[in-house]
């Protein structure tokens, strides 16, 4: 068992702290937000993440606002927000690095630009990027497809890898580990932008995107993941990481045209979906960037809402407060009252089971725009809705 410090009690830091405690380590988790620390001491978790609250209840973790100096390993899990030109703001990272003792193994889990670890010249640093899917973070940490650990100090890298137990490990250098993180997220962004454009083409030529992607996913060279069209990609990682990788490429005089096109395509997709939505009173089903989380960061749903003209309300199972001028209601039925159109923007599975006839009866003109492909088309039409579905011939206006 090791004494481990985690700095940052956000999504990554809290999951890291809880899972390392579950693996048998003595964990202290520090954050500058005093109110958040007090809530965590009372086992109050703000994040919607399956299994996380249970782990925090099962294991004793010390939550504090004091920097954890007396530790064997210090995991840096602080925010690295994107700057005006796409560059990552490393202020919080540098603040942490300046306080770490020399005999502590410094572990960079925050997503940082390529070359960051090399710039920390005064001490060995281990790059250990996170690959946690929101809604599956605990599962991904405890049963990872791989753990990437990079360092010029191979012994330090092996010690960090051993903290995870018997899992697949990629041992490499710092720069490669940093680039792996950006490469993975950027490739997924390219794949999503490709399928969203393919869905637009299906609408125009009369093809069915579900059939097209079924034929694609059975090809082992392509795979099944990230082939579902949607309103655009968002969240805490893909937008920020694509911008950061483009900035790195630009700084090295590398023209990354493929990734630039994926970002531009995503911007187009948000505008395209907004243009599909017509009505004076609009109800949005879903605001979070994906199902299974309460994360609104860079949510395409919010980006689309900002482009809409008219009165906009929303229902989301994980959101209870008004956002950006959008009135958030407590039930789908309340949302439907007097609406001209409902729009599915997040793929919450419960949306497939809604009482569609009852919703139609509450609306002035029962129109449903499904940007996620989650609603049962036959039942929705039978209930009296005019269905507009992304990637299908009837998606055309």
């Amino acid at each position: 068992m090791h004494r481990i410090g985690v700095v940052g009690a956000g999504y990554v830091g809290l999951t890291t702290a809880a899972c390392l405690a579950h693996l048998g380590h003595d964990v202290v988790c520090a954050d500058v937000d005093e109110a958040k620390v007090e809530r965590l001491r009372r086992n109050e978790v703000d994040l919607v993440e399956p299994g996380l609250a249970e782990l925090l209840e099962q294991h004793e973790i010390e939550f504090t606002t004091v920097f954890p100096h007396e530790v064997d390993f210090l995991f840096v899990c602080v925010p690295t927000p994107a700057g005006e030109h796409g560059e990552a703001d490393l202020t919080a990272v540098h603040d942490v690095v300046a306080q770490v003792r020399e005999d502590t193994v410094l572990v960079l889990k925050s997503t940082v630009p390529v070359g960051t670890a090399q710039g920390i010249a005064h001490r060995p640093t281990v790059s250990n990027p996170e690959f946690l899917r929101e809604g599956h973070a605990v599962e991904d940490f405890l049963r990872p497809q791989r753990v990437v650990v990079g360092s010029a100090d191979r012994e330090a890298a092996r010690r960090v890898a051993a903290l995870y137990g018997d899992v697949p490990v990629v041992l490499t250098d710092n720069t490669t580990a940093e680039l792996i993180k950006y490469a993975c997220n950027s490739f997924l962004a390219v794949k999503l932008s490709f399928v969203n454009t393919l869905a637009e083409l299906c609408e125009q030529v009369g093809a069915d995107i579900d059939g097209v992607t079924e034929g694609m996913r059975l090809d082992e060279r392509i795979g099944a993941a990230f082939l579902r069209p949607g309103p655009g990609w968002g969240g805490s990682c893909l937008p920020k990481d694509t911008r950061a990788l483009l900035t790195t490429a630009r700084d090295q005089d590398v023209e990354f045209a493929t990734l630039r096109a994926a970002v531009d395509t995503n911007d187009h997709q948000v505008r395209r979906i907004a243009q599909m939505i017509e009505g004076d009173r609009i109800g949005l089903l879903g605001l979070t960037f994906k199902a299974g989380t309460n994360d609104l960061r860079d949510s395409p749903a919010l980006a689309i809402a900002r482009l809409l003209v008219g009165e906009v309300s929303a229902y989301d199972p994980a959101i209870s407060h008004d956002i950006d001028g959008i009135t958030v209601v407590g039930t789908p039925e309340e949302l439907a009252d007097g609406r001209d159109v409902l729009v599915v923007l997040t793929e919450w599975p419960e949306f497939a089971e809604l009482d569609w006839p009852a919703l139609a009866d509450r609306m002035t003109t029962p129109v449903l725009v499904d940007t996620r492909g989650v609603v049962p088309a036959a039942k929705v039409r039978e209930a009296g809705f005019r269905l507009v579905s992304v990637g299908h011939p009837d998606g055309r206006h």
Side-chain angles (χ1 to χ4, degrees):
M1 181 179 72
H2 293 280
R3 175 70 167 169
I4 297 176
V6 177
V7 178
Y11 176 78
V12 175
L14 199 55
T15 302
T16 298
C19 290
L20 287 173
H22 183 72
L23 292 172
H25 302 291
D26 180 17
V27 179
V28 53
C29 182
D31 198 280
V32 296
D33 187 333
E34 294 183 5
K36 179 190 292 186
V37 167
E38 285 300 321
R39 291 195 299 273
L40 289 170
R41 287 171 175 168
R42 298 192 299 267
N43 287 326
E44 296 175 7
V45 183
D46 298 331
L47 301 172
V48 174
E49 186 59 48
L52 181 58
E54 290 79 1
L55 283 187
L56 292 171
E57 289 178 1
Q58 293 169 14
H59 303 287
E60 288 192 13
I61 298 172
E62 178 187 349
F63 290 103
T64 180
T65 57
V66 179
F67 192 90
H69 292 287
E70 304 295 327
V71 295
D72 304 315
F73 301 85
L74 194 287
F75 280 75
V76 183
C77 303
V78 295
T80 54
E84 182 180 355
H85 303 292
E87 73 285 358
D89 183 349
L90 299 181
T91 302
V93 172
H94 292 314
D95 286 346
V96 173
V97 171
Q99 301 179 67
V100 182
R101 295 189 329 186
E102 289 188 4
D103 60 343
T104 299
V105 178
L106 178 66
V107 186
L108 287 179
K109 189 162 278 293
S110 296
T111 301
V112 295
V114 176
T116 297
Q118 283 186 337
I120 305 173
H122 66 284
R123 60 174 305 115
T125 302
V126 177
S127 300
N128 178 217
E130 58 87 12
F131 296 93
L132 305 178
R133 299 170 297 162
E134 295 196 32
H136 303 272
V138 171
E139 175 188 358
D140 288 345
F141 194 104
L142 298 176
R143 287 173 289 278
Q145 294 179 344
R146 82 294 196 200
V147 172
V148 176
V149 183
S151 181
D153 185 335
R154 279 306 176 100
E155 178 57 28
R158 291 188 180 94
R159 290 178 63 195
V160 170
L163 298 175
Y164 289 86
D166 186 16
V167 299
V169 175
V170 176
L171 277 178
T172 184
D173 59 89
N174 294 100
T175 303
T176 301
E178 291 163 345
L179 188 53
I180 287 171
K181 168 67 174 182
Y182 284 113
C184 288
N185 279 347
S186 294
F187 184 81
L188 296 177
V190 170
K191 197 172 183 182
L192 286 169
S193 284
F194 177 89
V195 79
N196 281 336
T197 299
L198 196 61
E200 183 178 5
L201 181 61
C202 284
E203 295 168 16
Q204 299 303 317
V205 302
D208 184 337
I209 188 62
D210 294 336
V212 173
T213 54
E214 179 67 17
M216 294 173 65
R217 64 171 50 96
L218 294 174
D219 190 323
E220 292 180 351
R221 299 168 300 175
I222 298 174
F226 284 73
L227 281 183
R228 181 181 291 276
W233 40 266
S236 62
C237 292
L238 266 60
K240 178 171 70 74
D241 291 355
T242 51
R243 291 195 294 269
L245 187 55
L246 283 171
T247 298
T248 298
R250 182 195 64 207
D251 291 345
Q252 300 300 320
D253 293 325
V254 174
E255 178 55 44
F256 212 145
T258 305
L259 185 55
R260 169 56 61 192
V263 173
D264 292 343
T265 295
N266 196 52
D267 294 339
H268 165 76
Q269 181 71 355
V270 167
R271 294 190 299 270
R272 186 177 88 87
I273 296 299
Q275 291 170 358
M276 295 173 66
I277 302 168
E278 300 174 353
D280 294 325
R281 301 193 69 204
I282 301 166
L284 307 182
L285 286 164
L287 289 175
T288 57
F289 88 95
K290 63 178 288 188
T293 179
N294 59 349
D295 197 341
L296 294 163
R297 288 176 290 181
D298 272 314
S299 171
L302 291 180
I304 289 167
R306 295 185 190 105
L307 298 177
L308 298 177
V309 177
E311 178 189 323
V312 180
S313 298
Y315 166 77
D316 190 294
I319 304 297
S320 58
H321 56 281
D322 295 350
I323 300 165
D324 290 351
I326 302 170
T327 301
V328 175
V329 301
T331 66
E333 289 75 20
E334 185 180 353
L335 180 68
D337 280 337
R339 301 294 154 191
D340 303 317
V341 58
L342 295 180
V343 188
V344 178
L345 290 174
T346 309
E347 72 282 16
W348 288 100
E350 48 263 55
F351 290 166
E353 307 300 327
L354 294 177
D355 186 342
W356 295 107
L359 296 180
D361 288 343
R362 290 171 175 265
M363 298 178 65
T364 56
T365 55
V367 176
L368 178 67
V369 178
D370 183 9
T371 73
R372 293 285 191 172
V374 298
V375 305
K379 289 183 179 180
V380 166
R381 290 194 179 95
E382 185 178 342
F385 279 92
R386 180 168 70 88
L387 177 62
V388 179
S389 186
V390 169
H392 298 83
D394 55 5
R396 289 197 300 267
H397 269 224

